[in-house]
Amino acid sequence: MVYTLQNNIELTLENIVLDLNGTIAIGWKIMEWVAERVNTLQSLGFRILLCSGDQRGNGQKIADELGIEFFSANDAAAKKTIWKMLDSEK
């Protein structure tokens, strides 16, 4: 999706990356409003991804439940690699 910002600057937004930090799940239970919002964003054409350093596999389970992609990233360097990969897909 392309958005026009101030001074006619265009911003293209294709991916939304979530990070497990209590905003989508508490105690590994998906908050009730999350699936609805994820579905809405997907219906608008956004690619939704979950990026987590979770070692127990809960991040993958949450991503599977929401029908979104999962990327494992244990530190800032791993997250940077994912950002570069997403940028290169343009």
Side-chain angles (χ1 to χ4, degrees):
M1 301 192 96
V2 178
Y3 297 92
T4 302
L5 306 175
Q6 292 178 348
N7 300 324
N8 291 323
I9 296 171
E10 287 191 352
L11 171 69
T12 301
L13 183 61
E14 299 168 350
N15 302 306
I16 297 176
V17 180
L18 306 173
D19 193 348
L20 275 181
N21 63 4
T23 57
I24 64 171
I26 296 176
W28 307 116
K29 184 175 186 310
I30 297 173
M31 296 168 70
E32 60 188 53
W33 53 268
V34 172
E36 178 184 335
R37 294 209 172 106
V38 165
N39 289 335
T40 298
L41 290 168
Q42 288 174 321
S43 72
L44 292 171
F46 290 105
R47 177 182 177 192
I48 312 295
L49 308 103
L50 175 63
C51 183
S52 174
D54 173 39
Q55 298 295 314
R56 296 172 292 232
N58 294 322
Q60 181 68 62
K61 289 177 190 173
I62 288 172
D64 290 345
E65 277 188 56
L66 291 172
I68 61 177
E69 296 175 72
F70 177 78
F71 290 91
S72 180
N74 295 322
D75 56 28
K79 288 181 181 182
K80 185 175 182 179
T81 300
I82 292 168
W83 294 121
K84 287 181 178 182
M85 183 263 317
L86 293 170
D87 276 345
S88 70
E89 291 180 355
K90 293 181 183 178

